[in-house]
Amino acid sequence: MSQLLQMYRKMMAIRLFEERVNDLYTRALMPGLAHLYIGQEAVAVGVCEALRGDDYITSTHRGHGHCLAKGATPSLMFAELLGKEAGYCKGKGGSMHIADPATGNLGANAIVGGSAGIATGAAFSAKYLKTGQVAVCFFGEGALGQGLLYEVMNLASLWKLPVIYVCENNMYNEYTHFSETTAGDVSARATAFGIPQETLDGQDVRLVFAAASRAVARARSGEGPSFLQCKTYRYHGHHVGDIAREYYRPKTEEASWKGERDPLRVLSTALLADG
């Protein structure tokens, strides 16, 4: 129960952080763009809860949640977003390029699928040096169209590298539904390389944590990579300037995901039911 409460607190912290980011950006107090993680908190928290402090992650342009779940300090995050020298990258990286090697965060990446090679390389180093570390590569379903992902998955499977590929399928490649851009079955891509895969409800942090724990145990024991497809949803637009979402996704769809499927509500309901 204490672990579930800890995961709830982490998800709530990410939600509050992102709401503050949205406020600052919409008031033109932060430079650049921000891609909010609100709605997807259970994926980052569930996966990172299964990791050690020295394990690696790589992130995406929508990376604040991953950074915080892996142990980033909110004040240093805000300093970076505000362009301050006290930030993680001395204010020069901004929202999409935060890195924190001290917590195993090898960096967010504005290139779709761009961090797949970095995570796989980190996994190779862990295996070569026999450190027992694992690496997690977070990416959106839009990255399924990038060849780099398949190159590294091929090598990871051949060399049994301790890497976990986490596909956060929030259904939209910017403004296009993934069914219009992604042929076939998402999970079949992992199967083609002989990589075990699980498809799960990414709104339930308990399910994400359980699946991630299995994948981490597999990686640490030398059995190689795993692939997790977490079905989730971003509550805001692609970025803070994307305010006309009704042109590409139905309001009824948004409402259904923001209701009983909100990751904070899913866990709080379960915790209250358990007293």
Side-chain angles (χ1 to χ4, degrees):
M1 186 62 71
S2 62
Q3 188 173 45
L4 290 176
L5 287 169
Q6 176 174 284
M7 289 194 285
Y8 183 84
R9 292 189 188 99
K10 288 182 177 180
M11 288 196 295
M12 180 60 78
I14 293 171
R15 177 71 58 92
L16 294 174
F17 181 93
E18 293 290 67
E19 287 176 351
R20 183 61 172 154
V21 169
N22 187 52
D23 173 61
L24 291 169
Y25 267 102
T26 52
R27 289 195 290 131
L29 297 176
M30 282 186 176
L33 282 177
H35 302 77
L36 302 178
Y37 198 67
I38 294 175
Q40 301 183 204
E41 295 92 346
V43 181
V45 172
V47 171
C48 290
E49 187 70 15
L51 300 177
R52 296 189 326 210
D54 64 341
D55 287 331
Y56 300 114
I57 68 164
T58 61
S59 185
T60 70
H61 59 277
R62 196 179 308 283
H64 304 162
H66 307 138
C67 297
L68 291 165
K70 193 60 173 67
T73 303
S75 60
L76 299 182
M77 292 274 291
F78 274 119
E80 184 61 35
L81 292 170
L82 289 163
K84 305 296 184 182
E85 189 175 358
Y88 276 112
C89 302
K90 298 186 177 180
K92 297 179 180 180
S95 173
M96 292 184 279
H97 301 94
I98 293 173
D100 179 22
T103 59
N105 178 5
L106 300 181
N109 202 312
I111 299 172
V112 175
S115 68
I118 299 170
T120 309
F124 176 82
S125 75
K127 180 168 184 176
Y128 183 80
L129 297 172
K130 297 180 174 61
T131 62
Q133 294 164 287
V134 303
V136 170
C137 177
F138 290 103
F139 59 94
E141 80 289 336
L144 296 171
Q146 299 295 326
L148 171 64
L149 179 63
Y150 304 115
E151 292 181 41
V152 298
M153 285 172 65
N154 181 65
L155 288 177
S157 183
L158 284 171
W159 297 343
K160 294 190 180 300
L161 300 183
V163 58
I164 302 160
Y165 299 102
V166 180
C167 177
E168 296 183 276
N169 188 348
N170 65 19
M171 298 168 55
Y172 290 91
N173 307 170
E174 293 193 355
Y175 319 109
T176 305
H177 195 278
F178 83 102
S179 64
E180 298 181 46
T181 63
T182 307
D185 183 2
V186 169
S187 60
R189 286 155 165 77
T191 303
F193 294 107
I195 297 176
Q197 71 83 26
E198 289 191 53
T199 297
L200 57 140
D201 181 1
Q203 303 305 85
D204 191 332
V205 72
R206 298 166 300 176
L207 298 179
V208 177
F209 172 67
S213 297
R214 289 189 290 270
V216 168
R218 172 183 167 81
R220 288 206 210 282
S221 65
E223 296 181 61
S226 299
F227 184 100
L228 303 180
Q229 179 189 185
C230 299
K231 294 188 175 182
T232 185
Y233 201 77
R234 56 170 166 81
Y235 288 178
H236 287 250
H238 172 61
H239 57 81
V240 290
D242 174 18
I243 57 175
R245 298 186 298 280
E246 66 270 17
Y247 288 110
Y248 66 89
R249 69 185 203 187
K251 286 187 176 180
T252 53
E253 179 185 278
E254 283 197 19
S256 68
W257 282 87
K258 290 180 178 180
E260 297 302 317
R261 301 193 70 183
D262 185 308
L264 288 166
R265 182 173 294 182
V266 170
L267 183 56
S268 64
T269 299
L271 288 170
L272 290 169
D274 288 338

